[in-house]
Amino acid sequence: SQTIHQWPATLVQPVGSPLSLECTVEGTSNPNLYWYRQAAGRGLQLLFYSVGIGQISSEVPQNLSASRPQDRQFILSSKKLLLSDSGFYLCAWSVPGYNQPQHFGDGTRLSIL
Amino acid sequence: AQSVAQPEDQVNVAEGNPLTVKCTYSVSGNPYLFWYVQYPNRGLQFLLKYITGDNLVKGSYGFEAEFNKSQTSFHLKKPSALVSDSALYFCAVRGPPSGGSYIPTFGRGTSLIVHP
């Protein structure tokens, strides 16, 4: 069966520090991968998605970036964190196709001090 | 552009009573519709989807959803609510491939509270 791993579960970082969040998927190949941010336990904001290695689409301009160095690995990064980057970050994967649901990791709660 | 509306921020129901969480959508063509549930400090879990066919879709944990094309709705239902059903519920729409967006559009979520 397929599984998705996200780490760390929680992270406290100072303003201006770098960030690296990692997500890996097991049990499937060539998944579509997504990074979301959820603020205040409500709406989801899509940050990035990827349909293949090295192929990244950005939905919202910001100081975050994403990379997909391997088929089942998706990394969210920042060179300098802002206070506004605080939130709950969720990684998700899906089988390619309009009729396929997304499957989410358990998220990283990021607090910026 | 496609959109999803969840008109209720919160739904309260007594344990054992039926529950309904509402969702309406707007999309050009035939939609692909999804429901997800999120428990505190966890990711979203897929509950069920409507692609085509029978308007009543059955999913996980006893949930079902009814697709109504004329009302552009996809309400989530359960005949008898449990306290453990208390969570945040999200509706999402995608497609169709003929001109809709591949990226899902999510509603803002509805908090379901089931009282003992």
Side-chain angles (χ1 to χ4, degrees):
Chain A
S1 64
Q2 302 91 355
T3 55
I4 179 169
H5 302 280
Q6 254 189 275
W7 66 92
T10 59
L11 189 60
V12 180
Q13 292 284 97
V15 170
S17 63
L19 173 73
S20 180
L21 301 181
E22 189 162 342
C23 171
T24 59
V25 180
E26 296 178 357
T28 188
S29 59
N30 195 32
N32 290 169
L33 296 171
Y34 312 80
W35 276 112
Y36 287 89
R37 179 168 57 204
Q38 185 177 30
R42 278 290 173 157
L44 295 171
Q45 179 187 34
L46 179 66
L47 302 175
F48 301 95
Y49 72 95
S50 171
V51 298
I53 296 174
Q55 300 178 63
I56 309 294
S57 296
S58 174
E59 292 294 302
V60 182
Q62 59 219 324
N63 69 319
L64 299 172
S65 62
S67 62
R68 184 171 177 172
Q70 300 180 46
D71 182 44
R72 292 168 290 171
Q73 184 184 28
F74 206 22
I75 298 172
L76 183 68
S77 304
S78 174
K79 292 182 179 177
K80 274 189 172 184
L81 285 167
L82 306 172
L83 282 174
S84 58
D85 291 324
S86 292
F88 191 46
Y89 288 81
L90 290 162
C91 181
W93 72 272
S94 72
V95 172
Y98 280 77
N99 62 348
Q100 298 296 327
Q102 292 170 297
H103 305 278
F104 289 78
D106 276 338
T108 294
R109 188 162 302 282
L110 176 64
S111 299
I112 311 299
L113 302 178
Chain B
Q2 62 197 37
S3 64
V4 172
Q6 293 183 242
E8 303 153 317
D9 278 348
Q10 186 172 301
V11 170
N12 291 276
V13 65
E15 188 174 30
N17 283 1
L19 70 87
T20 299
V21 182
K22 296 179 180 177
C23 171
T24 59
Y25 66 89
S26 174
V27 69
S28 297
N30 295 320
Y32 297 143
L33 294 158
F34 305 84
W35 274 104
Y36 296 85
V37 60
Q38 184 181 29
Y39 297 99
N41 298 310
R42 302 294 299 275
L44 281 68
Q45 295 179 37
F46 167 65
L47 279 178
L48 50 80
K49 68 179 180 181
Y50 172 81
I51 304 302
T52 187
D54 194 347
N55 289 343
L56 186 63
V57 179
K58 293 189 183 297
S60 306
Y61 311 121
F63 284 94
E64 57 190 27
E66 186 168 11
F67 172 67
N68 187 316
K69 188 172 184 177
S70 63
Q71 297 185 7
T72 62
S73 66
F74 189 53
H75 300 333
L76 182 70
K77 300 180 179 184
K78 188 174 183 182
S80 179
L82 301 173
V83 172
S84 57
D85 292 329
S86 299
L88 193 55
Y89 289 81
F90 289 94
C91 181
V93 66
R94 206 175 197 176
S98 57
S101 172
Y102 182 72
I103 299 302
T105 299
F106 283 83
R108 283 190 46 79
T110 297
S111 178
L112 173 67
I113 299 175
V114 181
H115 302 277

